[in-house]
Amino acid sequence: MIYFDFAATTPLDSDAAEVFVQASTEFYGNASSLHDVGGQSQDLLENCREELANLLGINKKGLYFTSGGSEGNFLAIEALLSAPKKAGKHIIAGMAEHSSIHGVLNRLDGYSITYLPFNSSGLIDVEELGRAITPETVLVTVQHVNSEIGTIQPIGEIARICKEHDIHFHSDFVQSFGKIDFKKIAPLFSSFSFSGHKIYGPKGVGGVYVDSSISWRAFFPGGSHERGFRPGTVNVPAIASMTAAAQKIHDQLVQSHDQFLELRAILVKSLDPIKEFVHIFEAAADSQLPSIIGLRISGIEGQWMMLECNRYGFAISTGSACQIGMQAPAKVTQALGLSPQVAKEFIRISFGKTTQTEDVVKLGETIVEIVNNYKR
């Protein structure tokens, strides 16, 4: 099986796996324990916190470790709403946000929420966001990179607008972490979340940055771990492994970006024989993550295409795995204003560090063959 679903998850890097095993066997103490064994784990934990903070360009005092992106989004939003910059009950969110964002917003009582769609390039219109702001607006949450079509939102402009209006700004960095160097923009946010398993780290671990100047209240009362941010014994081995993976992928940012640009061009070229049926949802190159290609093939349901590709030995997807589990169309198709029938045609192809040129060519040729057979 040739894997083209790296936006969903990645295999564990071999070096990160070695770090996980070593930390599990040699630094097994509870980081909150006061004896020397616990102290060794605590030292490793804080070293990881400092290293990740340096990679991200943030104050380590605002970095908290979680079980992943979904929990991170939940806790970050709850933290910001516990300490708003002003009184109000209005929130602005992207329509195509990850299901974990929609989940936490749907459970809030007493808040009104404005959802912003995408324009034809898969981007939020900053002017429309400005018009949506009211005196009651206390939070804006916009995903940095869309997980289904890979568009990079204009978060620098959004952050500036939020600052001008005393509004907290949260961003889901799960798809951009390890793929974009956001050291310069990270301090612009009130909070952001990230995850380990998208960067060849282990599953079940991630992190949240909350501006250390914010006096948030813990959602789970009485917790002592992570300075009260979340309960539960801290998963030091997974954090160490994620940190190793983050260091490694950060050193390869430019090289990986150039490689994915080339692979994207090769795949698009290979689809030329059926180009009249193919519609790729993308932005201009400077606003597009090249490793994610969201597209539809006119007249063919995405799930059928995914299953046919699987039969031929290729793993692609029909969007976010979390959304697929809910048996609902990809959120991005709603944000783009696609009809329910057209939305069913959506598929996603995503590259990773092990993706080979010849495999991309084979995938393109296979999709062409499947489409031609179907159309006949």
Side-chain angles (χ1 to χ4, degrees):
M1 180 66 69
I2 302 174
Y3 191 65
F4 283 99
D5 198 16
F6 289 88
T9 194
T10 58
L12 182 61
D13 176 81
S14 57
D15 293 331
E18 286 186 21
V19 170
F20 185 91
V21 172
Q22 183 181 6
S24 297
T25 55
E26 297 180 22
F27 298 86
Y28 51 84
N30 189 320
S32 296
S33 297
L34 299 180
H35 47 61
D36 287 352
V37 177
Q40 291 172 347
S41 292
Q42 177 68 18
D43 288 345
L44 177 58
L45 175 65
E46 293 311 314
N47 284 338
C48 291
R49 197 186 312 276
E50 184 167 359
E51 176 59 32
L52 281 172
N54 288 336
L55 287 178
L56 294 166
I58 56 174
N59 186 335
K60 68 177 183 179
K61 292 181 179 178
L63 179 57
Y64 306 94
F65 293 112
T66 67
S67 66
S70 293
E71 183 195 33
N73 284 328
F74 180 91
L75 292 178
I77 288 176
E78 290 288 351
L80 296 184
L81 293 180
S82 75
K85 292 184 177 183
K86 60 184 179 183
K89 291 282 188 176
H90 178 238
I91 297 170
I92 299 173
M95 191 179 290
E97 296 298 298
H98 187 264
S99 58
S100 61
I101 295 287
H102 286 273
V104 65
L105 296 182
N106 288 341
R107 67 170 294 279
L108 296 175
D109 289 328
Y111 286 86
S112 61
I113 301 167
T114 300
Y115 291 100
L116 298 179
F118 282 168
N119 61 22
S120 59
S121 296
L123 300 173
I124 282 175
D125 186 325
V126 176
E127 292 184 2
E128 187 172 348
L129 183 145
R131 289 191 294 270
I133 292 174
T134 75
E136 287 271 306
T137 307
V138 293
L139 173 67
V140 169
T141 176
V142 173
Q143 190 179 39
H144 187 194
V145 170
N146 180 266
S147 61
E148 290 164 330
I149 61 174
T151 48
I152 304 170
Q153 299 305 319
I155 53 175
E157 295 177 67
I158 296 172
R160 176 184 54 80
I161 293 172
C162 290
K163 186 175 182 180
E164 289 174 356
H165 291 84
D166 286 330
I167 298 169
H168 279 315
F169 183 23
H170 170 73
S171 189
D172 176 343
F173 275 18
V174 168
Q175 282 297 339
S176 55
F177 181 47
K179 297 160 191 165
I180 295 174
D181 187 354
F182 40 68
K183 190 175 277 190
K184 292 181 180 178
I185 61 173
L188 300 174
F189 297 88
S190 300
S191 67
F192 61 77
S193 59
F194 59 92
S195 182
H197 74 103
K198 307 287 190 180
I199 61 161
Y200 308 92
K203 294 173 177 63
V205 66
V208 163
Y209 165 73
V210 180
D211 186 337
S212 56
S213 68
I214 298 172
S215 299
W216 49 268
R217 289 197 316 274
F219 179 79
F220 295 103
S224 60
H225 299 287
E226 287 300 277
R227 301 190 297 282
F229 191 71
R230 71 183 294 267
T233 303
V234 179
N235 191 349
V236 175
I239 291 166
S241 179
M242 175 177 68
T243 304
Q247 291 170 319
K248 193 169 182 177
I249 201 169
H250 188 269
D251 291 339
Q252 302 166 346
L253 280 178
V254 175
Q255 177 186 343
S256 296
H257 184 269
D258 292 345
Q259 175 194 1
F260 295 145
L261 274 176
E262 184 178 340
L263 293 177
R264 185 184 187 92
I266 290 169
L267 180 63
V268 172
K269 179 67 176 175
S270 71
L271 297 177
D272 268 354
I274 56 168
K275 62 183 178 182
E276 70 266 33
F277 304 118
V278 177
H279 182 88
I280 298 174
F281 303 100
E282 60 184 347
D286 60 351
S287 297
Q288 179 68 47
L289 198 70
S291 58
I292 297 178
I293 303 177
L295 63 120
R296 71 178 181 89
I297 299 174
S298 179
I300 300 181
E301 285 200 9
Q303 187 165 328
W304 187 86
M305 175 59 72
M306 181 270 293
L307 292 172
E308 280 295 284
C309 284
N310 188 72
R311 190 166 66 87
Y312 280 90
F314 298 94
I316 67 169
S317 76
T318 55
S320 167
C322 299
Q323 193 66 21
I324 291 168
M326 298 166 65
Q327 296 295 304
K331 285 274 193 301
V332 72
T333 62
Q334 301 169 33
L336 289 166
L338 304 183
S339 69
Q341 184 58 43
V342 170
K344 290 181 181 179
E345 297 170 353
F346 182 81
I347 59 173
R348 180 184 68 185
I349 296 164
S350 49
F351 308 136
K353 65 180 181 180
T354 56
T355 305
Q356 302 296 313
T357 299
E358 56 267 30
D359 292 335
V360 174
V361 172
K362 287 178 186 175
L363 174 62
E365 291 173 346
T366 299
I367 291 175
V368 169
E369 181 182 347
I370 291 170
V371 171
N372 285 334
N373 290 338
Y374 182 88
K375 295 296 183 181
R376 278 199 295 268

